[in-house]
Amino acid sequence: MKAKMQQTSVGDNPVSGNQQVRREIQTFLQALNSYPDRFARNPSITFEEYCSRMVRTIKTESRRRV
């Protein structure tokens, strides 16, 4: 059996499920890498808060490019 590739929509661009997952993984890894510096400046921010802010920022930036 072949797996069917799901199509999702980012803005007006259809994106395959695999591409979406890759973007999410990249964002998570970027947040993981940069979190220690951010935490050093602001110890009250949790990783979850920081990561979700990064996701929102990236989504906003990608919409502006379209």
Side-chain angles (χ1 to χ4, degrees), residues 13-25:
N13 291 342
V15 177
S16 76
N18 286 341
Q19 289 171 323
Q20 180 66 28
V21 169
R22 285 187 182 104
R23 287 181 185 165
E24 291 173 10
I25 291 170

Side-chain angles (χ1 to χ4, degrees), residues 1-42:
M1 280 186 143
K2 280 191 172 182
K4 292 183 180 179
M5 193 175 296
Q6 234 180 2
Q7 292 288 322
T8 58
S9 186
V10 176
D12 291 331
N13 291 342
V15 177
S16 76
N18 286 341
Q19 289 171 323
Q20 180 66 28
V21 169
R22 285 187 182 104
R23 287 181 185 165
E24 291 173 10
I25 291 170
Q26 283 301 113
T27 301
F28 178 82
L29 292 174
Q30 288 173 352
L32 194 59
N33 187 47
S34 60
Y35 180 67
D37 292 333
R38 177 69 168 153
F39 182 79
R41 292 191 312 265
N42 182 2

Side-chain angles (χ1 to χ4, degrees), residues 35 38-39 42-47 49-50 53:
Y35 180 67
R38 177 69 168 153
F39 182 79
N42 182 2
S44 66
I45 191 167
T46 66
F47 178 76
E49 291 169 330
Y50 180 64
R53 287 179 188 174

